[in-house]
Amino acid sequence: MLKEIVLKADVLSSGISKGTPVFLNSETICKDNKISKKDSQKEIVKFEKAIKKSTKQILEIKKSLANDSLSITFDILNTHLEILNDPIIVNEVICKIKEENKCIYTILKDIISDYKSKIKDPFFKAKVLDIEDVFKRIMTNIGAIKIDILKKMKSKSILISNEIIPSDIFESDDTHISAFISSSTSYESHSAIIARSKNIPFLTNVDIEKLKSLDFKDMIVDAKLGKVIINPSIKTFETYELLVKNTKDTLPKIKLKKNINIFANVSNQKEIEKLKSKNISGIGLLRTELLFFNNKKLPTIDEQFSVYKKIAKNLENQICIIRLFDLGGDKNFYNLDTSNNFFGSRGAEFLLKNPNILKDQITAIIKASALGNFQILIPFVKDLSEIRQIKKIALDIQARLKIPSNIKIGSMIETPIAALMADQIAHEVDFLSIGTNDLSRYTFASENISSKRLHLGMIKLFKMIIQAAKDFEKPLYLCGEILASKSILNKFIELGLSNFSVGLKQTDIFK
């Protein structure tokens, strides 16, 4: 019988988990080698192709993770896209290939090594980790390194590596990961933030080489007390089994006051099937650009109508707020925005530049409105003219179809300019919907926004929007994972909000 061993560790994400250890190793295929001046141009072409391939992969990952209601995943992937398109970083690599006559693998490795040796500030050190993560993806795409274990992991795997980076998480099936263990990861790192967001236990400051030398099959990760238990005894195993069961049975619920409505954010077709089992008032946000992410192109009118029909059947006349395709900018899922700009034209602006996409979707919604209580939500509004143009298009389509429909049209308030114009927007539409994730992100110009408290500046913006809705007697909804915090939810209720839309999984925490 193998002896039980306990190793101490630091906690990055709290929780308890058991599983089979999986060591993440990358196999280096490319050698550090010099190249001729003649071959340097070939290396540059390889590098540029790898950037395009990496960009495409990240956009695909964004699509596949889009049903994750946590904005941190999008923020990290957007940072990676910015790095891939950063002319300073790209030019530095190209210049070094030309000047030093070295292969891409060596150049990227040297640049990261140089950054790490020179940069000591914690904030910029975190940025270096992002660059290293992107470089690792590029090296994989040029065939310099090979990592194939991530997609082959079985259920209840404990991922172990010297450094866990976001791409390791994005490339794996997180339903198969029960915990992370690393030798050196900071609490503020993106991978630690993702782990906390997904409630995956994460321990660091563990001697990975020592772990590799031990003979074991199973382990328990106690990320509450900071322990890795190798070869747990029957007694230890039973103790932790009971502890995990009791933890699940006593998960805190948020008790709601009367007249408070909880709606669901729906992002994929699997979630549609689960609607009947949830105690919700309807769908507060149907992310239509994500419903069809397995498609290589945007869905036809008939394909959209089919999904809306299914929703109507499952909701039984409850409200379903359909957000028009929120595409473009950092949500360029179908590669339709050719501006190559992080901001680009997104939401309402993108739809008006692509009228066929807009008209097809509105047509499908109006056809489906005869079957259910559907409402249209205009995304990423930045100007009143966008609302007026889309309303006119909807009226024209309704007249052409000769379908009697009093379908309501609302506006997302998710940009600072929309918040400042909330009173004028409220006058134009039937309802308002606050998107807390983007509104906070663009107001702070930051990815790192506290989910535990509301900033005074944000409270001012929220008060303006709430007052505008009251003045024009328009329903107001609020969407975002920030609502999982009881204190923040109560603060919004104090401010006068009563309609909240959260991820489908989060609806279970309310009673």
Side-chain angles (χ1 to χ4, degrees):
M1 186 176 177
L2 296 170
K3 183 183 176 183
E4 179 176 295
I5 301 169
V6 179
L7 301 178
K8 289 187 177 180
D10 295 332
V11 177
L12 296 179
S13 177
S14 183
I16 295 170
S17 186
K18 57 184 174 61
T20 305
V22 175
F23 289 95
L24 179 61
N25 300 309
S26 60
E27 179 189 347
T28 303
I29 297 167
C30 179
K31 294 179 181 178
D32 290 348
N33 63 325
K34 283 265 187 182
I35 56 173
S36 66
K37 284 190 176 182
K38 184 181 176 182
D39 289 334
S40 64
Q41 190 56 43
K42 291 179 181 177
E43 286 295 293
I44 292 168
V45 172
K46 275 167 63 178
F47 174 62
E48 289 171 342
K49 284 182 178 178
I51 286 177
K52 288 180 181 178
K53 186 174 180 180
S54 299
T55 301
K56 188 177 178 181
Q57 286 172 342
I58 292 173
L59 288 170
E60 287 299 316
I61 292 168
K62 282 182 71 172
K63 283 171 65 179
S64 68
L65 293 176
N67 62 326
D68 186 333
S69 62
L70 299 160
S71 63
I72 184 64
T73 54
F74 265 36
D75 293 337
I76 293 167
L77 289 166
N78 286 335
T79 299
H80 289 188
L81 287 173
E82 287 174 4
I83 292 167
L84 284 167
N85 292 286
D86 188 322
I88 295 173
I89 294 173
V90 172
N91 288 336
E92 183 181 7
V93 175
I94 291 172
C95 287
K96 282 185 176 290
I97 292 172
K98 288 178 178 177
E99 293 167 4
E100 299 179 18
N101 295 321
K102 291 179 180 177
C103 68
I104 306 167
Y105 170 74
T106 306
I107 294 294
L108 298 182
K109 205 173 73 166
D110 289 350
I111 289 173
I112 287 297
S113 180
D114 190 43
Y115 285 170
K116 283 183 173 180
S117 65
K118 290 179 179 177
I119 296 172
K120 304 300 178 187
D121 182 272
F123 174 81
F124 288 106
K125 280 178 80 173
K127 294 298 176 187
V128 171
L129 284 177
D130 284 325
I131 296 171
E132 185 175 23
D133 194 344
V134 171
F135 280 9
K136 185 177 178 181
R137 180 177 294 281
I138 290 171
M139 286 190 280
T140 304
N141 284 331
I142 62 169
I145 59 173
K146 183 181 179 183
I147 305 168
D148 58 3
I149 196 151
L150 290 171
K151 296 188 185 295
K152 297 177 182 178
M153 284 194 301
K154 296 179 180 178
S155 181
K156 295 184 178 179
S157 294
I158 297 171
L159 192 61
I160 304 170
S161 180
N162 284 318
E163 179 66 59
I164 304 286
I165 57 176
S167 286
D168 296 334
I169 304 172
F170 296 144
E171 294 291 347
S172 58
D173 183 345
D174 62 16
T175 61
H176 288 172
I177 297 175
S178 61
F180 297 114
I181 296 175
S182 74
S183 61
S184 59
T185 305
S186 70
Y187 189 83
E188 296 80 15
S189 69
H190 279 160
S191 49
I193 293 169
I194 295 171
R196 289 193 292 274
S197 301
K198 294 178 175 290
N199 297 314
I200 300 173
F202 195 161
L203 291 176
T204 192
N205 201 16
V206 176
D207 188 338
I208 304 300
E209 293 309 311
K210 183 177 180 178
L211 271 183
K212 286 180 180 178
S213 68
L214 297 172
D215 185 14
F216 65 99
K217 289 184 178 179
D218 297 303
M219 65 165 56
I220 292 172
V221 172
D222 184 343
K224 288 185 178 290
L225 299 178
K227 294 191 294 184
V228 179
I229 304 167
I230 298 159
N231 299 322
S233 66
I234 294 172
K235 185 179 178 182
T236 301
F237 186 82
E238 288 175 348
T239 300
Y240 275 95
E241 281 276 281
L242 186 63
L243 192 60
V244 170
K245 182 181 182 299
N246 290 340
T247 302
K248 285 181 180 177
D249 291 343
T250 57
L251 284 174
K253 294 254 183 181
I254 297 176
K255 190 174 182 180
L256 296 172
K257 298 175 183 178
K258 286 183 179 179
N259 302 319
I260 301 299
N261 304 307
I262 297 297
F263 296 82
N265 299 335
V266 172
S267 304
N268 62 63
Q269 296 192 41
K270 286 182 181 177
E271 289 180 331
I272 294 170
E273 306 295 336
K274 299 175 183 177
L275 292 172
K276 282 186 177 179
S277 65
K278 302 292 181 180
N279 184 25
I280 56 174
S281 300
I283 295 176
L285 181 65
L286 183 66
R287 295 183 171 111
T288 54
E289 69 277 0
L290 311 176
L291 282 176
F292 309 93
F293 72 80
N294 285 327
N295 294 25
K296 295 296 181 185
K297 56 183 181 180
L298 282 167
T300 62
I301 294 173
D302 288 342
E303 286 171 333
Q304 292 181 62
F305 175 78
S306 176
V307 173
Y308 303 149
K309 183 180 176 182
K310 188 189 296 183
I311 291 170
K313 185 179 178 181
N314 280 278
L315 280 183
E316 298 176 349
N317 212 42
Q318 285 181 312
I319 290 173
C320 175
I321 297 175
I322 301 177
R323 184 175 68 188
L324 298 175
F325 292 129
D326 188 6
L327 297 168
D330 64 326
K331 286 187 171 183
N332 193 19
F333 297 148
Y334 298 92
N335 296 315
L336 297 169
D337 182 5
T338 57
S339 64
N340 199 27
N341 185 334
F342 175 75
F343 291 100
S345 61
R346 181 183 150 187
E349 182 184 350
F350 172 87
L351 291 170
L352 289 167
K353 285 182 178 179
N354 296 271
N356 290 337
I357 294 173
L358 175 62
K359 289 174 183 178
D360 281 358
Q361 185 171 27
I362 292 177
T363 299
I365 296 171
I366 290 176
K367 281 184 174 182
S369 67
L371 306 172
N373 189 1
F374 293 112
Q375 300 182 10
I376 292 173
L377 182 60
I378 306 171
F380 216 70
V381 169
K382 293 181 288 186
D383 192 83
L384 288 173
S385 64
E386 295 170 340
I387 296 171
R388 289 168 182 158
Q389 289 178 73
I390 291 173
K391 280 172 66 178
K392 185 181 184 305
I393 288 169
L395 285 171
D396 290 346
I397 290 170
Q398 190 177 332
R400 177 174 55 81
L401 293 174
K402 297 179 181 178
I403 295 175
S405 174
N406 294 316
I407 196 162
K408 293 179 179 177
I409 297 178
S411 169
M412 286 292 292
I413 307 293
E414 52 189 336
T415 61
I417 191 67
L420 293 169
M421 295 170 59
D423 54 345
Q424 293 167 278
I425 292 174
H427 178 68
E428 287 285 339
V429 297
D430 298 306
F431 65 95
L432 301 174
S433 182
I434 303 172
T436 58
N437 296 341
D438 274 340
L439 183 58
S440 301
R441 180 182 173 206
Y442 288 109
T443 301
F444 283 107
S446 171
E447 301 164 6
N448 302 313
I449 300 155
S450 173
S451 60
K452 294 181 179 178
R453 66 181 182 86
L454 285 178
H455 191 280
L456 286 174
M458 290 303 298
I459 291 174
K460 280 189 175 182
L461 279 182
F462 290 132
K463 282 182 175 178
M464 288 172 60
I465 302 164
I466 293 165
Q467 191 58 52
K470 282 182 179 176
D471 289 346
F472 289 91
E473 299 181 341
K474 301 294 171 69
L476 175 62
Y477 301 83
L478 187 138
C479 310
E481 71 258 21
I482 198 170
L483 295 170
S485 165
K486 186 178 179 181
S487 61
I488 288 180
L489 176 67
N490 286 334
K491 181 63 182 177
F492 279 125
I493 292 171
E494 283 176 27
L495 292 172
L497 278 160
S498 59
N499 298 317
F500 301 98
S501 194
V502 299
L504 198 64
K505 289 180 182 177
Q506 281 183 276
T507 59
D508 294 332
I509 69 172
F510 299 99
K511 63 175 183 178

